[in-house]
């Protein structure tokens, strides 16, 4: 096994196309407040006071980051509320308006071309692979991008100070690979992933899925969930022909190594509750709200 190199602050570079990514720290604090108090509908003034901002400053910051006001974001991340409305038969347009979106129109999905490594490649735990990694500032905190010569193989997230843990987590999935720090190699991927202006079929993002056959089937099902939508684990299980395997599907989703691009954050509980997320439930809410701003 080739041990990951030490993580230094200078290794974390901004991803092109995310000029306001530093806003995430404030956004994260607001989301944490919303997560605790969303049923009480905290006011803009209360949210601003909780993070040491003025109401006007917070409104501008949030709208710049998410494309939504704090109030609309608060509604958009209440997916359990939205699912209840859908279960009651409310038309999609009315549901979209009810949860704070301007309508059901969607930006076209992130265009991804993917391939799966052979079972033998997976069982070798990365033997013979050279995996390059780099840390980049993203709209959701610090992103760890990992690539092979075939394309993007890993995407993880952390807050400042968590870089070493994130790298150890990801490198441990392929312990026999050669892990090489190469920010220059990973920067183009970070730019492509986090810039919605480049989410188009003419510039596909190549992803290589490294997992068991079952895991890859689950991850492929996640890729079919449209931007701005979510699906219960049970529905995903049915789609891959394993309707009684919801728990196994949940485990495969939790093991997804290419977060955000393979959108495990769009998987929810049967009731619509946002359940867990490997990189933190606050970050899951951030991703869903950020996408809602673009889908709307």
């Amino acid at each position: 096994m080739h041990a990951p190199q030490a993580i230094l602050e200078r290794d974390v570079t901004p991803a092109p196309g995310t000029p306001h990514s530093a806003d995430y720290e404030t956004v994260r604090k607001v989301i944490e407040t919303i997560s605790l108090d969303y049923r009480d509908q905290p006011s803009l003034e209360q949210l601003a006071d909780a993070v040491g901002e003025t109401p006007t400053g917070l409104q501008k910051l949030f709208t710049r980051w998410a494309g939504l006001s704090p109030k609309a974001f608060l509604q958009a991340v209440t997916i359990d509320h939205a699912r209840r409305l859908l279960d009651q038969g409310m038309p999609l347009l009315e549901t979209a308006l009810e949860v704070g979106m301007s309508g059901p129109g969607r930006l076209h999905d992130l265009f991804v071309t993917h391939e799966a490594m052979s079972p033998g490649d997976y069982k070798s735990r990365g033997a013979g692979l050279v995996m390059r990694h780099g840390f980049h500032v993203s709209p959701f905190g610090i992103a760890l991008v990992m690539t092979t010569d075939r394309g993007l193989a890993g995407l993880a997230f952390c807050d400042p100070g968590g870089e070493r843990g994130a790298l150890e987590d990801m490198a441990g999935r392929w312990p026999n690979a050669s892990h090489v720090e190469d920010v220059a190699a990973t920067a183009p991927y970070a730019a492509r992933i986090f810039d919605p202006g480049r989410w188009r079929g003419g510039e596909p993002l190549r992803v290589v899925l490294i997992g068991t056959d079952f895991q890859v089937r689950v991850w492929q099902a996640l890729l079919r969930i449209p931007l701005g939508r979510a699906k219960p684990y049970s529905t995903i299980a049915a789609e891959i022909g394993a309707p009684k395997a919801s728990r196994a599907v949940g485990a495969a989703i939790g093991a997804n190594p290419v977060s955000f691009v393979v959108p495990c954050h769009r998987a929810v509980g049967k009731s619509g509750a946002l359940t867990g997320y490997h990189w933190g439930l606050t970050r899951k809410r951030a991703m869903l709200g950020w996408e809602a701003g673009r889908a709307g």
Side-chain angles (χ1 to χ4, degrees), residues 257-272:
V258 192
S259 300
F260 185 69
V261 172
V262 177
C264 48
H265 59 282
R266 297 179 196 164
V268 298
K270 192 171 184 178
S271 68

PDB file of all heavy atoms in Angstrom, residues 257-272:
ATOM      1  N   PRO A 257     -18.447   6.088  -3.771  1.00  0.00           N
ATOM      2  CA  PRO A 257     -17.199   6.852  -3.671  1.00  0.00           C
ATOM      3  C   PRO A 257     -17.196   8.151  -4.466  1.00  0.00           C
ATOM      4  O   PRO A 257     -16.268   8.935  -4.334  1.00  0.00           O
ATOM      5  CB  PRO A 257     -16.157   5.878  -4.240  1.00  0.00           C
ATOM      6  CG  PRO A 257     -16.921   5.104  -5.262  1.00  0.00           C
ATOM      7  CD  PRO A 257     -18.333   4.966  -4.727  1.00  0.00           C
ATOM      8  N   VAL A 258     -18.213   8.358  -5.299  1.00  0.00           N
ATOM      9  CA  VAL A 258     -18.229   9.549  -6.161  1.00  0.00           C
ATOM     10  C   VAL A 258     -19.425  10.417  -5.763  1.00  0.00           C
ATOM     11  O   VAL A 258     -20.413  10.533  -6.494  1.00  0.00           O
ATOM     12  CB  VAL A 258     -18.281   9.176  -7.658  1.00  0.00           C
ATOM     13  CG1 VAL A 258     -17.992  10.407  -8.515  1.00  0.00           C
ATOM     14  CG2 VAL A 258     -17.295   8.074  -7.990  1.00  0.00           C
ATOM     15  N   SER A 259     -19.345  10.993  -4.588  1.00  0.00           N
ATOM     16  CA  SER A 259     -20.452  11.789  -4.059  1.00  0.00           C
ATOM     17  C   SER A 259     -20.789  12.949  -4.987  1.00  0.00           C
ATOM     18  O   SER A 259     -19.939  13.408  -5.760  1.00  0.00           O
ATOM     19  CB  SER A 259     -20.083  12.339  -2.674  1.00  0.00           C
ATOM     20  OG  SER A 259     -19.807  11.283  -1.786  1.00  0.00           O
ATOM     21  N   PHE A 260     -22.030  13.397  -4.898  1.00  0.00           N
ATOM     22  CA  PHE A 260     -22.555  14.521  -5.663  1.00  0.00           C
ATOM     23  C   PHE A 260     -22.716  14.180  -7.136  1.00  0.00           C
ATOM     24  O   PHE A 260     -23.814  14.291  -7.669  1.00  0.00           O
ATOM     25  CB  PHE A 260     -21.684  15.773  -5.495  1.00  0.00           C
ATOM     26  CG  PHE A 260     -22.263  16.996  -6.189  1.00  0.00           C
ATOM     27  CD1 PHE A 260     -23.425  17.586  -5.716  1.00  0.00           C
ATOM     28  CD2 PHE A 260     -21.665  17.542  -7.309  1.00  0.00           C
ATOM     29  CE1 PHE A 260     -23.979  18.691  -6.356  1.00  0.00           C
ATOM     30  CE2 PHE A 260     -22.206  18.637  -7.951  1.00  0.00           C
ATOM     31  CZ  PHE A 260     -23.361  19.220  -7.476  1.00  0.00           C
ATOM     32  N   VAL A 261     -21.658  13.747  -7.819  1.00  0.00           N
ATOM     33  CA  VAL A 261     -21.779  13.393  -9.236  1.00  0.00           C
ATOM     34  C   VAL A 261     -22.678  12.163  -9.380  1.00  0.00           C
ATOM     35  O   VAL A 261     -23.600  12.144 -10.196  1.00  0.00           O
ATOM     36  CB  VAL A 261     -20.401  13.143  -9.864  1.00  0.00           C
ATOM     37  CG1 VAL A 261     -20.540  12.585 -11.277  1.00  0.00           C
ATOM     38  CG2 VAL A 261     -19.596  14.435  -9.893  1.00  0.00           C
ATOM     39  N   VAL A 262     -22.400  11.124  -8.624  1.00  0.00           N
ATOM     40  CA  VAL A 262     -23.334  10.001  -8.488  1.00  0.00           C
ATOM     41  C   VAL A 262     -24.186  10.376  -7.278  1.00  0.00           C
ATOM     42  O   VAL A 262     -23.743  10.267  -6.146  1.00  0.00           O
ATOM     43  CB  VAL A 262     -22.584   8.671  -8.270  1.00  0.00           C
ATOM     44  CG1 VAL A 262     -23.575   7.530  -8.067  1.00  0.00           C
ATOM     45  CG2 VAL A 262     -21.672   8.381  -9.461  1.00  0.00           C
ATOM     46  N   PRO A 263     -25.408  10.878  -7.516  1.00  0.00           N
ATOM     47  CA  PRO A 263     -26.102  11.688  -6.497  1.00  0.00           C
ATOM     48  C   PRO A 263     -26.771  10.898  -5.375  1.00  0.00           C
ATOM     49  O   PRO A 263     -27.995  10.810  -5.291  1.00  0.00           O
ATOM     50  CB  PRO A 263     -27.142  12.443  -7.335  1.00  0.00           C
ATOM     51  CG  PRO A 263     -27.451  11.527  -8.468  1.00  0.00           C
ATOM     52  CD  PRO A 263     -26.143  10.844  -8.795  1.00  0.00           C
ATOM     53  N   CYS A 264     -25.940  10.357  -4.485  1.00  0.00           N
ATOM     54  CA  CYS A 264     -26.494   9.639  -3.337  1.00  0.00           C
ATOM     55  C   CYS A 264     -27.268  10.582  -2.419  1.00  0.00           C
ATOM     56  O   CYS A 264     -28.103  10.133  -1.624  1.00  0.00           O
ATOM     57  CB  CYS A 264     -25.388   8.918  -2.576  1.00  0.00           C
ATOM     58  SG  CYS A 264     -23.933   9.901  -2.200  1.00  0.00           S
ATOM     59  N   HIS A 265     -27.040  11.899  -2.524  1.00  0.00           N
ATOM     60  CA  HIS A 265     -27.785  12.845  -1.698  1.00  0.00           C
ATOM     61  C   HIS A 265     -29.249  12.930  -2.121  1.00  0.00           C
ATOM     62  O   HIS A 265     -30.072  13.465  -1.378  1.00  0.00           O
ATOM     63  CB  HIS A 265     -27.138  14.233  -1.766  1.00  0.00           C
ATOM     64  CG  HIS A 265     -27.064  14.808  -3.141  1.00  0.00           C
ATOM     65  ND1 HIS A 265     -26.118  14.408  -4.064  1.00  0.00           N
ATOM     66  CD2 HIS A 265     -27.808  15.748  -3.779  1.00  0.00           C
ATOM     67  CE1 HIS A 265     -26.282  15.081  -5.193  1.00  0.00           C
ATOM     68  NE2 HIS A 265     -27.304  15.894  -5.048  1.00  0.00           N
ATOM     69  N   ARG A 266     -29.594  12.381  -3.299  1.00  0.00           N
ATOM     70  CA  ARG A 266     -30.988  12.403  -3.757  1.00  0.00           C
ATOM     71  C   ARG A 266     -31.771  11.178  -3.294  1.00  0.00           C
ATOM     72  O   ARG A 266     -32.927  11.000  -3.663  1.00  0.00           O
ATOM     73  CB  ARG A 266     -31.035  12.507  -5.286  1.00  0.00           C
ATOM     74  CG  ARG A 266     -30.423  13.795  -5.819  1.00  0.00           C
ATOM     75  CD  ARG A 266     -30.473  13.861  -7.341  1.00  0.00           C
ATOM     76  NE  ARG A 266     -29.569  14.893  -7.850  1.00  0.00           N
ATOM     77  CZ  ARG A 266     -29.180  14.984  -9.111  1.00  0.00           C
ATOM     78  NH1 ARG A 266     -29.615  14.117 -10.020  1.00  0.00           N
ATOM     79  NH2 ARG A 266     -28.347  15.942  -9.496  1.00  0.00           N
ATOM     80  N   ALA A 267     -31.160  10.312  -2.492  1.00  0.00           N
ATOM     81  CA  ALA A 267     -31.849   9.159  -1.917  1.00  0.00           C
ATOM     82  C   ALA A 267     -32.370   9.535  -0.535  1.00  0.00           C
ATOM     83  O   ALA A 267     -31.642  10.100   0.279  1.00  0.00           O
ATOM     84  CB  ALA A 267     -30.902   7.969  -1.823  1.00  0.00           C
ATOM     85  N   VAL A 268     -33.646   9.234  -0.289  1.00  0.00           N
ATOM     86  CA  VAL A 268     -34.281   9.617   0.972  1.00  0.00           C
ATOM     87  C   VAL A 268     -35.008   8.422   1.561  1.00  0.00           C
ATOM     88  O   VAL A 268     -35.174   7.385   0.915  1.00  0.00           O
ATOM     89  CB  VAL A 268     -35.271  10.784   0.766  1.00  0.00           C
ATOM     90  CG1 VAL A 268     -34.549  12.024   0.254  1.00  0.00           C
ATOM     91  CG2 VAL A 268     -36.392  10.385  -0.197  1.00  0.00           C
ATOM     92  N   GLY A 269     -35.466   8.572   2.809  1.00  0.00           N
ATOM     93  CA  GLY A 269     -36.266   7.535   3.435  1.00  0.00           C
ATOM     94  C   GLY A 269     -37.646   7.435   2.808  1.00  0.00           C
ATOM     95  O   GLY A 269     -38.065   8.311   2.040  1.00  0.00           O
ATOM     96  N   LYS A 270     -38.360   6.388   3.123  1.00  0.00           N
ATOM     97  CA  LYS A 270     -39.673   6.155   2.514  1.00  0.00           C
ATOM     98  C   LYS A 270     -40.642   7.286   2.791  1.00  0.00           C
ATOM     99  O   LYS A 270     -41.502   7.615   1.983  1.00  0.00           O
ATOM    100  CB  LYS A 270     -40.242   4.830   3.016  1.00  0.00           C
ATOM    101  CG  LYS A 270     -41.459   4.348   2.241  1.00  0.00           C
ATOM    102  CD  LYS A 270     -41.835   2.936   2.640  1.00  0.00           C
ATOM    103  CE  LYS A 270     -43.001   2.427   1.784  1.00  0.00           C
ATOM    104  NZ  LYS A 270     -43.356   1.024   2.135  1.00  0.00           N
ATOM    105  N   SER A 271     -40.503   7.926   3.961  1.00  0.00           N
ATOM    106  CA  SER A 271     -41.380   9.041   4.318  1.00  0.00           C
ATOM    107  C   SER A 271     -40.936  10.347   3.681  1.00  0.00           C
ATOM    108  O   SER A 271     -41.623  11.359   3.764  1.00  0.00           O
ATOM    109  CB  SER A 271     -41.392   9.220   5.838  1.00  0.00           C
ATOM    110  OG  SER A 271     -40.118   9.671   6.290  1.00  0.00           O
ATOM    111  N   GLY A 272     -39.752  10.327   3.059  1.00  0.00           N
ATOM    112  CA  GLY A 272     -39.187  11.556   2.504  1.00  0.00           C
ATOM    113  C   GLY A 272     -38.162  12.181   3.429  1.00  0.00           C
ATOM    114  O   GLY A 272     -37.522  13.171   3.078  1.00  0.00           O
TER     115      GLY A 272
END
